[in-house]
């Protein structure tokens, strides 16, 4: 098995296996989305006007909650040294880890975005665009999240620090994703979001790999 | 050019007189700029006296952005050439840039109250400034969180460069977003052409901020170099004992 | 045209100049403290030699 396929299988299995598995971020996403109408009041008109974009807040928080241990565990148990010895370039390994995270967390949350958006009063015809934009946005969040997780891998209890570092970078996907969910559908906002998501997930691993090389020095 | 500054002893010698020089320059420029801006400049035909807030708000915005750019350049030099003083410079600039960004936000709010009729408007430029302020906080927090200083410098440099790439994207998206959500009739301070009589105090204040940045940057760098020497000596003492 | 508003102007200048002054004083005090300790170190070294 190639090193990349092995990394993917290992990470995917770890995420499904440990600490409540991938169900935990999914549950977190649903829980955060449930708090939205509780904060806004159950009034129908208010939710129709402002509810659907708030899917994005729940999704962003769910990603943040998974980032802290992403590279910390690899640094502690020596997996990171193995990655560096591997014939595959570190950038590709990091990209693979990101892909595994997307499959374990990003995809389920994007799919769960459909019922959540409907519950937040999104019109049915918008739901396909919301689900697809969530999938792309999660790729962007994870791409930036890799950088945040990599630069803080050596910091004990770095969870809040990661959030502080990563949140400003979440602004563009949130802006365009919310526009999609707010009624723009498959318009220019969707295309810009797709560009953002792909750019972040392409550039994130390069910066993250550079940071990880320093962590093992 | 760079190698002139590579030697810390040489830097200490140069900055020993350059920092006070910048400080005096800053004091003089503020002493000229503040009365010019407050008293000897015209009121705006639309905004009245409140336009005077521009002279403290706009230079803060310019320099907080420029300082982040400076940190980006210093980080790049630090990463590529492993230039020790460049790391020191990037770290020393961050609290100054963050303060400028914070002051820009506060004065923007004080300007918005009379002109927009609200203390905070999610205007494109103010929102980007808020994002920049948070990026500064994250950068400073990362520096403080990583114990090994050498490693902290490299990691912070990576974060700074990633942020530098991201900043135009954030700015573009925030501006796109605010024009989408905001009625076009909202009054925008500084959006229209500036009266030539306002250029004088504006540039005086801008240069005052720049001189202050120069003085504080050099002073912060000197403090960091002295601190490293003292800590290195303490480490050696602890190892010898 | 907006009339008055001087108190906003005064508040903005007070916050700016006050904030910059606090920053400058903090930076200067910190630098002085480390410079003092570095001088003590140099003095100790030259005494040892």
């Amino acid at each position: 098995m190639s090193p990349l396929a092995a990394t993917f299988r290992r990470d995917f299995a770890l995420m499904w296996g440990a600490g409540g598995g991938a169900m935990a971020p999914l549950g977190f996403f649903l829980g955060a989305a449930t708090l939205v109408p509780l904060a806004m009041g159950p009034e129908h008109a208010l939710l129709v006007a402002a509810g659907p974009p708030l899917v994005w807040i729940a999704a962003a928080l769910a990603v943040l909650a998974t980032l802290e241990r992403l590279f910390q565990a690899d640094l502690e148990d020596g997996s990171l040294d193995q990655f560096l010895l591997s014939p595959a370039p570190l950038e590709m390994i990091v990209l693979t880890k990101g892909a595994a995270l997307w499959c374990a967390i990003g995809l389920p949350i994007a799919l769960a975005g459909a019922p959540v958006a409907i519950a937040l009063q999104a019109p049915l015809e918008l739901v396909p665009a919301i689900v697809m934009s969530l999938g792309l946005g999660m790729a962007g969040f994870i791409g930036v999240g890799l950088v945040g997780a990599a630069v803080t891998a050596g910091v004990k209890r770095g969870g809040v620090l990661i959030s502080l570092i990563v949140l400003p970078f979440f602004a563009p996907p949130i802006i365009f994703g919310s526009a999609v969910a707010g009624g723009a559908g498959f318009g220019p906002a969707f295309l810009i979001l797709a560009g953002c998501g792909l750019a972040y997930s392409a550039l994130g691993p390069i910066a993250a790999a550079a940071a990880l090389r320093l962590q093992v020095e | 050019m760079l190698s002139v500054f590579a030697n810390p002893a040489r830097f200490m010698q140069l900055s020993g007189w350059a920092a006070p020089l910048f400080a005096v320059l800053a004091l003089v420029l503020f002493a000229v700029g503040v009365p010019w801006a407050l008293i000897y400049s015209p009121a705006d035909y639309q905004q009245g006296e409140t336009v005077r807030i521009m002279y403290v708000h706009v230079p803060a915005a310019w320099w907080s952005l420029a300082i982040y750019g400076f940190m980006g350049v210093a980080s790049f030099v630090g990463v590529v050439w492993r230039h020790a003083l460049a790391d020191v410079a990037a770290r020393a600039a961050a609290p100054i840039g963050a303060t400028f960004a914070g002051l820009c936000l506060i004065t923007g709010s004080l300007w918005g109250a009379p002109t927009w009729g609200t203390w905070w408007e999610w205007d494109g430029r103010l929102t980007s400034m808020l994002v920049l302020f948070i990026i500064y906080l994250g950068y400073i927090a990362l520096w403080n969180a990583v114990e090994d200083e050498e490693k902290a410098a490299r990691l912070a440099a990576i974060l700074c460069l990633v942020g530098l790439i991201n900043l135009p994207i954030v700015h573009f998206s925030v501006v796109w977003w605010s024009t989408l959500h905001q009625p076009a009739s909202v009054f925008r301070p500084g959006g229209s052409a500036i009266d030539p009589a306002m250029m004088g105090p504006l540039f005086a204040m801008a240069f005052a901020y720049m001189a202050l940045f120069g003085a504080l940057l050099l002073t912060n760098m000197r403090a960091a170099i002295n601190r490293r020497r003292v800590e290195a000596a303490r480490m050696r003492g602890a190892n010898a004992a | 045209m907006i009339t008055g508003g001087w108190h906003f102007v005064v508040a903005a200048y007070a916050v700016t100049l006050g904030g910059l002054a606090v920053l400058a004083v903090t930076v200067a005090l910190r630098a002085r403290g480390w410079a003092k300790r570095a001088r003590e170190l140099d003095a100790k070294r030259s005494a040892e030699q």
Side-chain angles (χ1 to χ4, degrees), chain A residues 161 169 175-176 200 214-215, chain B residues 141 151 154 166 173 176-177:
Chain A
L161 181 61
F169 297 87
I175 286 172
F176 297 113
Y200 279 8
L214 296 166
Q215 298 286 10
Chain B
K151 198 182 276 183
R154 302 272 166 271
N166 196 47
S173 52
W176 180 89
W177 159 83

Side-chain angles (χ1 to χ4, degrees), chain C residues 2-31:
Chain C
I2 298 167
T3 50
W6 266 108
H7 48 293
F8 290 108
V9 178
V10 170
Y13 277 72
V15 168
T16 302
L17 297 177
L20 293 178
V22 167
L23 175 73
V25 168
T26 327
V27 167
L29 284 182
R30 245 180 43 110

Side-chain angles (χ1 to χ4, degrees), chain A:
Chain A
M1 195 164 27
S2 83
L4 293 181
T7 309
F8 185 89
R9 283 187 52 164
R10 168 180 168 276
D11 262 69
F12 191 74
L14 277 175
M15 271 164 228
W16 274 101
M23 294 312 283
L26 191 59
F28 185 95
F29 172 66
L30 295 175
T34 309
L35 291 181
V36 166
L38 297 183
M40 289 171 66
E43 203 172 324
H44 182 73
L46 196 60
L47 269 183
V48 168
L54 293 165
V55 176
W56 280 87
I57 300 297
L61 292 177
V63 173
L64 281 184
T66 62
L67 291 177
E68 184 177 355
R69 292 296 293 167
L70 196 57
F71 294 118
Q72 219 165 49
D74 291 335
L75 184 64
E76 282 161 9
D77 67 10
S79 310
L80 206 53
D81 301 283
Q82 299 302 317
F83 292 158
L84 283 171
L85 294 174
S86 150
L90 187 59
E91 284 79 4
M92 289 307 291
I93 295 179
V94 173
L95 180 65
T96 311
K97 279 179 75 81
L101 187 63
W102 187 82
C103 291
I105 288 162
L107 191 57
I109 286 180
L111 294 175
V116 168
I118 292 169
L120 293 174
Q121 310 297 332
L124 277 183
E125 64 271 17
L126 265 184
V127 168
I130 291 177
V131 169
M132 281 188 67
S133 64
L134 270 175
L136 288 162
M138 291 302 268
F141 287 160
I142 289 171
V144 181
L146 289 170
V147 182
V151 293
T152 56
V155 179
K156 296 271 167 276
R157 285 192 293 276
V160 180
L161 181 61
I162 297 182
S163 306
L164 175 60
I165 286 174
V166 162
L167 276 174
F169 297 87
F170 278 15
I174 293 239
I175 286 172
F176 297 113
S178 300
V180 170
F186 291 104
F190 183 88
L191 295 177
I192 303 174
L193 174 72
C196 256
L198 294 177
Y200 279 8
S201 44
L203 295 176
I206 298 172
L212 289 175
R213 287 208 179 86
L214 296 166
Q215 298 286 10
V216 291
E217 255 173 26

Side-chain angles (χ1 to χ4, degrees), chain B residues 1-7 77 81 83:
Chain B
M1 169 66 193
L2 277 174
S3 58
V4 173
F5 298 103
N7 180 351
V77 172
W81 288 289
H83 193 296

Side-chain angles (χ1 to χ4, degrees), chain B residues 29-84:
Chain B
L29 283 167
F30 273 114
V32 172
V34 170
W36 197 355
L38 273 180
I39 303 162
Y40 303 107
S41 68
D44 188 72
Y45 75 101
Q46 269 185 315
Q47 301 182 45
E49 307 295 348
T50 60
V51 76
R52 300 184 195 284
I53 297 176
M54 172 178 79
Y55 305 118
V56 285
H57 171 80
V58 170
W62 284 347
W63 286 110
S64 62
L65 262 174
I67 291 170
Y68 196 82
F70 168 84
M71 283 161 57
V73 172
S75 300
F76 184 78
V77 172
V79 165
V80 174
W81 288 289
R82 302 246 152 179
H83 193 296

